[in-house]
Amino acid sequence: MLEFNNVSKTFAGPAGEVRAIRDLTLSVPAGQFVAVQGPSGSGKTTLLLMAGALLQPTAGEVLIDGQDPYRLGPDRRSLFRAEHIGFVFQQFHLVPYLNVLENVLAPSVARPLPDAHERARELIQRFNLNHRISHVPAELSTGERQRVALARALLNRPKLLLADEPTGNLDDENARVVLDAMRDFSRDGGAVLLVTHDAQAAGYAQRIVRLSDGMAVGETA
Amino acid sequence: MTDQLAQPPRRRGRPSPWGQLLRWALREMLHRKGNLASALLAVIVAVGSVVGAWTLLKVHDARTRQVLAAKRAQLQKTLAAMKDNMRKSTLKLSFNLVILPKGQNLRDWHTKDYADTYMPEEYASRLANSRIITVRHLLPVLQQKIKWPEMKRTIILVGTRGEIPKLHKPARKPLVQPVPPGTMVLGYELHRTLNLKVGDKVRLMGREFTIHKCYRQRGSKDDITVWIPLHEAQELLNKKGLINGILALECLCFGTGPDLLGRVRADVAKILPDTQVLELASKALARAEARLAVRREARAALQRERRSRARLRAARERFAGILIPLVLAGCAVWIAFSGFSNVRERRAEIGILRALGLRSSQIMVLFLSKSALVGLLGGVLGFLVGVAAGGRLGAALEGRVDIGSPGELFDPVLLLLALAVATPLTVVAGWVPAALAARQDPAEVLGRE
């Protein structure tokens, strides 16, 4: 589902070039839950953004469902993201002025689905947010916010779920709900790439890839 | 790939993606009330200043109509009062008459301005000695247009003996002084062109005269007239004992009634049946002239007022013409800054929306919808504020103004105009911040977060 073939990413910094990812080759097949671990500055977030068709690699090839999204124009790449990828972030990134239902429905503005409302309500039900459906994010607990973000990520039935420290702000109970949902997603045939420091979260993954200085330095099955 | 961009059918009753973006824009406005208030205030100031200036001019125009109507009514009143006074005062205004021989053809008299038929000089004395009270100041004259052979000039020669005193009345100061024997009085054009002055001796039809008086310019046939004593004129014109007119000046008409002249004519006819009486100038003419003068003055006063109001209006228009573009430019900058601030505040939101697949055009629409909504709402509020402020300021500057119906100021066309100005203004001012938002790199925002 997700393939990195000899991917490198270099940024221009004040003290010269910074090589965030170096010649990385990685594959996350459909139905697999992969965690990426590494110290701060090891290139985890850069890897995630490139996997999300948001950051073009300097060299190498990123394939999602067999397609290189960076060969597409900006509008087609946006639609590609809406169709194939779901995102979950540590900071949730909910739209503050929309209620729970509208936040979950947000991806349908990019890619309208005929059953978007039914799907949104189903996800809201699944993540036990029914009683909060009309609430805005400021009125939700952190766990509820992350569950809304997860429901939003799953609305368009993506094939790839990208998560950046999704449990970083959650208590154990809420972290478990989120990780369970991600594991269920992979069991249903989706590919999950989880970037985390948290060993408990990484424990949900079938494979753990260790990053250091932009390179894969080890892998645990 | 084209298939990927094809949109699946939408369920009935569910908003389209564009409808959803519009709804989001509305929600965002209500969520960030400070930003909304700032942008709205800018639009209200912009629209309010345009509408306020417009309303102020409307109030000015209403006041002008009111002032001119009041002035017109006042002048009509003054004119009517003046007319009445004129009627009363001219009741006792005197006539100037000329008494001519009965057989005188009036067409000829009007053409030549003197009679070519004659009557005895004694008629003047008979009239003076009668007890007629309507006729005063009698001047028998003999006048004729002749060639002044010595000077080779055509002149009007008038023989006059001055006024005939009325024996039954106490002596009055005569209106016209007689010409002393052996002298002549010259009209302006004659003494000027012949270079004659008082005391000079000249010959007229072989007889010597001393110049007694030289008249100033009168702009009439008097300027080519020579006045000499009546008896000498009769001798020169070979009309001894004859005259061809009696001027009756300042004839009084007592009482009121339509035919005052008829009464004078009847009085004269009783004494001099062989004559006819003509009026030289009428009091109606005097009234008409006075009325015209008053009307002219009234029109001039109205015109002055109208000009003064127009000058005031032009000054206000000029002031608004300078102020309004400055205010609009200031407000556009204000709206743009408000937009930039909104974009900065929503960086993370824009990043995640882009990550969720929203296209840059959809981000533009999200921001421009907000701008348009602010423009519409601000346009309506600015219109109301402008009308109220313009009306108040107008009342303060102009005093109490009768506008008529309140709808006079609430002009729906002006409201549409306000919306037509406000909405594009906010959209244009919000364009750059919206474009900036649309171009924002989501990776940069999400990576930093």
Side-chain angles (χ1 to χ4, degrees):
Chain A
M1 173 55 56
L2 171 68
E3 285 178 61
F4 276 62
N5 298 322
N6 306 106
V7 171
S8 295
K9 180 66 188 178
T10 307
F11 293 105
E17 279 194 344
V18 177
R19 299 187 69 188
I21 297 289
R22 300 169 189 237
D23 199 27
L24 179 74
T25 296
L26 174 72
S27 171
V28 184
Q32 201 166 76
F33 190 147
V34 176
V36 178
Q37 284 198 301
S40 292
S42 60
K44 298 189 299 293
T45 300
T46 303
L47 172 70
L48 193 88
L49 292 173
M50 285 195 292
L54 289 167
L55 187 64
Q56 183 148 21
T58 314
E61 184 184 49
V62 176
L63 295 176
I64 300 166
D65 201 17
Q67 288 185 65
D68 183 350
Y70 296 105
R71 290 184 187 278
L72 303 174
D75 280 355
R76 287 185 189 278
R77 198 187 314 152
S78 294
L79 188 63
F80 181 88
R81 265 198 305 274
E83 285 176 338
H84 291 84
I85 308 167
F87 290 93
V88 184
F89 297 94
Q90 183 178 3
Q91 301 298 333
F92 327 123
H93 290 313
L94 297 179
V95 181
Y97 48 85
L98 300 182
N99 64 29
V100 166
L101 178 63
E102 289 162 338
N103 261 295
V104 174
L105 278 169
S108 70
V109 171
R111 185 193 174 221
L113 294 175
D115 63 341
H117 271 74
E118 291 71 18
R119 170 90 176 139
R121 286 180 184 279
E122 183 190 308
L123 287 165
I124 287 167
Q125 174 93 38
R126 178 175 157 197
F127 290 113
N128 197 22
L129 291 164
N130 253 344
H131 61 299
R132 296 294 202 186
I133 196 160
S134 303
H135 289 235
V136 292
E139 297 164 342
L140 303 177
S141 69
T142 49
E144 286 170 332
R145 287 180 205 177
Q146 193 59 299
R147 279 183 273 151
V148 174
L150 193 57
R152 180 180 67 185
L154 298 176
L155 182 86
N156 278 348
R157 298 185 182 88
K159 293 172 179 167
L160 174 64
L161 186 62
L162 302 173
D164 189 0
E165 301 282 8
T167 57
N169 288 326
L170 302 183
D171 56 35
D172 287 351
E173 175 59 23
N174 278 303
R176 194 182 52 74
V177 171
V178 169
L179 291 167
D180 282 349
M182 289 168 70
R183 189 176 52 198
D184 292 347
F185 175 78
S186 71
R187 282 179 181 163
D188 290 343
V192 177
L193 183 66
L194 166 71
V195 168
T196 183
H197 282 105
D198 182 7
Q200 186 200 342
Y204 274 76
Q206 291 154 296
R207 281 165 58 208
I208 300 171
V209 177
R210 286 198 171 70
L211 270 189
S212 178
D213 205 16
M215 291 183 293
V217 292
E219 189 173 323
T220 315
Chain B
M1 223 49 206
T2 313
D3 290 345
Q4 281 186 335
L5 283 172
Q7 307 288 309
R10 198 161 44 84
R11 290 270 174 95
R12 262 169 188 252
R14 300 272 156 77
S16 68
W18 304 111
Q20 269 178 281
L21 287 174
L22 191 65
R23 187 188 286 184
W24 288 8
L26 204 59
R27 288 282 176 87
E28 196 276 332
M29 280 165 62
L30 299 174
H31 177 73
R32 291 191 177 89
K33 293 190 181 73
N35 185 268
L36 173 67
S38 164
L40 264 185
L41 195 61
V43 182
I44 289 170
V45 170
V47 174
S49 62
V50 175
V51 173
W54 186 292
T55 306
L56 196 60
L57 290 177
K58 271 189 139 184
V59 173
H60 175 91
D61 290 346
R63 178 67 183 156
T64 298
R65 281 195 298 275
Q66 208 171 304
V67 165
L68 292 179
K71 193 113 192 165
R72 212 172 284 128
Q74 178 63 36
L75 286 168
Q76 289 291 343
K77 215 166 143 188
T78 310
L79 205 62
M82 209 168 252
K83 207 170 162 184
D84 194 46
N85 288 341
M86 189 74 66
R87 191 184 60 76
K88 285 176 190 159
S89 63
T90 52
L91 274 178
K92 291 185 179 174
L93 190 68
S94 53
F95 289 101
N96 287 331
L97 303 175
V98 60
I99 299 166
L100 300 172
K102 192 164 195 170
Q104 174 62 44
N105 181 320
L106 289 182
R107 267 204 316 270
D108 292 345
W109 182 78
H110 281 300
T111 312
K112 295 177 180 171
D113 218 15
Y114 66 89
D116 50 11
T117 53
Y118 301 90
M119 58 190 167
E121 183 187 345
E122 173 266 332
Y123 274 20
S125 307
R126 200 191 299 175
L127 200 58
N129 295 334
S130 70
R131 293 200 167 270
I132 189 168
I133 57 165
T134 47
V135 176
R136 304 160 72 187
H137 301 295
L138 294 166
L139 279 97
V141 291
L142 174 65
Q143 61 177 316
Q144 200 170 310
K145 191 186 280 181
I146 62 158
K147 201 97 181 166
W148 186 350
E150 288 84 352
M151 298 295 180
K152 295 185 174 41
R153 291 288 175 91
T154 299
I155 60 167
I156 294 168
L157 181 64
V158 177
T160 175
R161 57 177 271 200
E163 281 182 46
I164 310 289
K166 290 188 165 187
L167 296 177
H168 66 282
K169 289 226 167 184
R172 295 173 158 275
K173 192 179 172 202
L175 268 182
V176 180
Q177 295 299 324
V179 182
T183 67
M184 66 164 56
V185 173
L186 288 177
Y188 176 77
E189 197 57 28
L190 292 175
H191 70 74
R192 189 184 69 84
T193 55
L194 297 172
N195 203 22
L196 297 172
K197 57 186 184 299
V198 173
D200 286 355
K201 290 190 186 307
V202 289
R203 296 191 77 79
L204 172 63
M205 299 171 81
R207 187 178 293 213
E208 190 177 80
F209 291 89
T210 304
I211 296 172
H212 174 65
K213 199 179 269 183
C214 292
Y215 280 149
R216 281 193 289 185
Q217 193 172 27
R218 289 178 173 176
S220 67
K221 68 181 171 59
D222 285 359
D223 291 346
I224 56 160
T225 298
V226 173
W227 288 267
I228 59 173
L230 179 62
H231 289 111
E232 292 180 56
Q234 286 168 333
E235 282 170 19
L236 288 177
L237 298 172
N238 205 18
K239 303 287 181 197
K240 206 143 192 195
L242 294 176
I243 55 174
N244 57 1
I246 301 167
L247 296 176
L249 307 177
E250 290 190 357
C251 303
L252 290 175
C253 44
F254 297 97
T256 56
D259 191 17
L260 298 173
L261 181 62
R263 266 190 261 161
V264 180
R265 277 179 175 147
D267 285 351
V268 173
K270 272 186 220 158
I271 301 153
L272 302 172
D274 289 343
T275 60
Q276 53 184 322
V277 178
L278 293 180
E279 191 182 5
L280 283 179
S282 74
K283 59 184 175 183
L285 186 63
R287 280 180 192 172
E289 278 173 358
R291 263 202 309 273
L292 275 176
V294 171
R295 216 169 271 160
R296 265 199 301 274
E297 178 49 36
R299 267 195 213 117
L302 263 180
Q303 203 58 38
R304 275 198 299 277
E305 187 66 42
R306 198 171 284 139
R307 273 200 295 270
S308 144
R309 299 290 303 172
R311 271 198 300 276
L312 187 59
R313 192 184 202 281
R316 285 181 182 166
E317 272 181 355
R318 273 198 303 278
F319 181 67
I322 295 168
L323 187 68
I324 286 174
L326 288 177
V327 170
L328 286 182
C331 288
V333 171
W334 182 356
I335 293 165
F337 269 111
S338 181
F340 283 123
S341 143
N342 191 236
V343 169
R344 200 169 47 245
E345 220 177 324
R346 297 170 69 183
R347 277 172 60 85
E349 175 196 329
I350 296 162
I352 191 64
L353 290 176
R354 293 302 310 276
L356 292 177
L358 264 75
R359 297 188 293 279
S360 53
S361 58
Q362 288 177 308
I363 300 293
M364 278 286 277
V365 167
L366 181 60
F367 278 81
L368 292 181
S369 304
K370 178 184 175 176
S371 295
L373 287 170
V374 167
L376 282 172
L377 185 60
V380 173
L381 293 175
F383 172 78
L384 295 174
V385 168
V387 167
R392 284 234 161 193
L393 189 61
L397 291 173
E398 303 281 359
R400 195 162 167 267
V401 183
D402 180 17
I403 301 295
S405 68
E408 277 285 308
L409 291 184
F410 285 87
D411 185 351
V413 176
L414 185 58
L415 174 61
L416 288 178
L417 200 71
L419 296 180
V421 170
T423 311
L425 176 79
T426 49
V427 169
V428 168
W431 193 274
V432 177
L436 203 70
R439 285 180 54 193
Q440 203 163 282
D441 182 2
E444 193 190 324
V445 180
L446 297 173
R448 197 176 293 168
E449 296 279 328

